[in-house]
């Protein structure tokens, strides 16, 4: 029999004793939520979307599309008062339907409690303000409505705009904190001050120089760190006379093992005869002896080994985060001072820096994109 003890990340607020055929993990699942949960209702005359935002995650709970509202203007067939009356009746029915869906979405049917701490209505018309005053809206939900904001878009784009316009209310939301960090990085890059770099080649060069103040990492960074060990000559035979520099391991960065390049360099014979230098040398091959995700390796070693001031993990859930992950590779650094010579600026087409004698510099990195 195997017994596993799990320590909750935070103290439990209530006790639970229950006998049944399954384990009760609801209390533990609640602690996995990233702090405060905020609800957003993006509503206008074309439909409504209900979201929950917590930490750096946002989830679409429900979509109400095609409300079939009449247009504000029509020509012929009926008088203006009758047309206005029909329009108002349709709108009232639509507001009632949206209110009922809000009640069903944001109130837990088991606990009968509102699942969000605050609710924000957003839209491009006056539907949102009328919805906040609707009589069919449950009072438990109505008491959580903290603001109605004007936005230009609907859907995910409208949610992003609503988050930006409500940032003063959502100061504790990790989503906004990530956007601020990434926006600051974009600002430094656009200023061309030289105190920001991205990509494994420049970032690891800056780490070796001790110049990194803030390391910004995409939480789904696919890059991996491979350690390569020389294994022998062109036929796989060992070369016992290798010099110390030729025994050094190489560090390669790639997304998977099949993308690691086949690195080889020539080994000159170490015979004492005067003609040994003119004899073609053996080719030394390398094998992968260690593999670790770059994200894990940096989190464990960046501060202790390179003196990094802070490490920021960001997601691609926001527009800024998506641009950061796709456009900058998800690996960037803010520097304490400008570095005059970055590897990306050098006009060197070789992946590894080799010396005239065929040896490899012990601190050289090889990068594969």
């Amino acid at each position: 029999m195997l017994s596993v003890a799990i320590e909750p990340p935070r103290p439990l607020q209530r006790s639970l004793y229950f006998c049944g055929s399954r384990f009760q993990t609801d209390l533990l699942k609640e602690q996995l939520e990233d702090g405060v949960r905020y609800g957003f209702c993006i509503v206008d005359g074309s439909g409504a979307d209900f979201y929950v935002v917590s930490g750096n995650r946002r989830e679409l709970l429900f979509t109400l599309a095609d409300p079939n509202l009449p247009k504000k203007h029509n020509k012929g067939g009926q008088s203006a008062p009758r047309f206005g009356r029909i329009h108002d009746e349709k709108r009232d029915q639509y507001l009632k339907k949206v209110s009922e869906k809000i009640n069903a979405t944001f109130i837990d049917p088991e606990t009968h409690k509102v699942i969000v701490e605050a609710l924000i209505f957003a839209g491009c018309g006056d539907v949102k303000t009328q919805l906040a005053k609707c009589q069919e809206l449950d009072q438990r939900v109505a008491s959580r409505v903290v603001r109605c904001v004007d936005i230009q878009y609907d859907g995910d784009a409208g949610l992003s705009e609503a988050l930006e316009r409500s940032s003063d209310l959502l100061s504790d939301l990790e989503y906004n904190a990530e956007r601020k960090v990434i926006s600051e990085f974009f600002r430094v890059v656009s200023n061309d001050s030289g105190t920001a770099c991205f990509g494994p080649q420049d970032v690891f060069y800056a780490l070796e120089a001790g110049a990194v103040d803030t390391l910004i990492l995409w939480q789904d960074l696919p890059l991996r760190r491979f350690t390569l060990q020389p294994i022998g000559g062109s036929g796989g035979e060992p070369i016992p006379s290798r010099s110390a520099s030729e025994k050094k391991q190489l560090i390669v960065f790639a997304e998977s093992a099949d993308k690691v390049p086949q690195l080889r360099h020539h080994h000159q014979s170490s015979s004492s005869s005067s003609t040994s230098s003119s004899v073609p040398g053996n080719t030394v091959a390398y094998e992968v002896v260690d593999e670790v995700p770059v994200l894990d390796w940096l989190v464990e070693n960046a501060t202790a080994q390179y003196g990094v001031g802070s490490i920021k993990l960001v997601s691609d859930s926001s527009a800024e985060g998506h641009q950061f992950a796709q456009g900058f590779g998800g690996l960037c650094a803010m520097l304490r001072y400008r570095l005059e010579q970055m590897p990306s600026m050098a006009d060197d087409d070789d992946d590894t820096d080799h010396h005239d004698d065929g040896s490899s510099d012990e601190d050289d990195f090889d990068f594969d994109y």
Side-chain angles (χ1 to χ4, degrees), residues 69-107:
L69 288 178
K71 297 180 180 180
K72 294 183 178 180
H73 304 282
N74 194 10
K75 62 178 182 179
Q78 55 190 348
S79 63
R82 184 169 182 268
F83 175 77
R85 185 170 61 253
I86 294 176
H87 182 273
D88 293 341
E89 290 176 356
K90 290 286 187 178
R91 175 171 289 240
D92 292 341
Q93 293 175 5
Y94 174 59
L95 292 175
K96 180 179 179 180
K97 185 176 181 180
V98 173
S99 299
E100 293 173 350
K101 294 298 183 181
I102 290 178
N103 297 337
T105 303
F106 291 104
I107 295 181

Side-chain angles (χ1 to χ4, degrees), residues 2-8:
L2 179 63
S3 298
V4 179
I6 300 177
E7 182 178 353

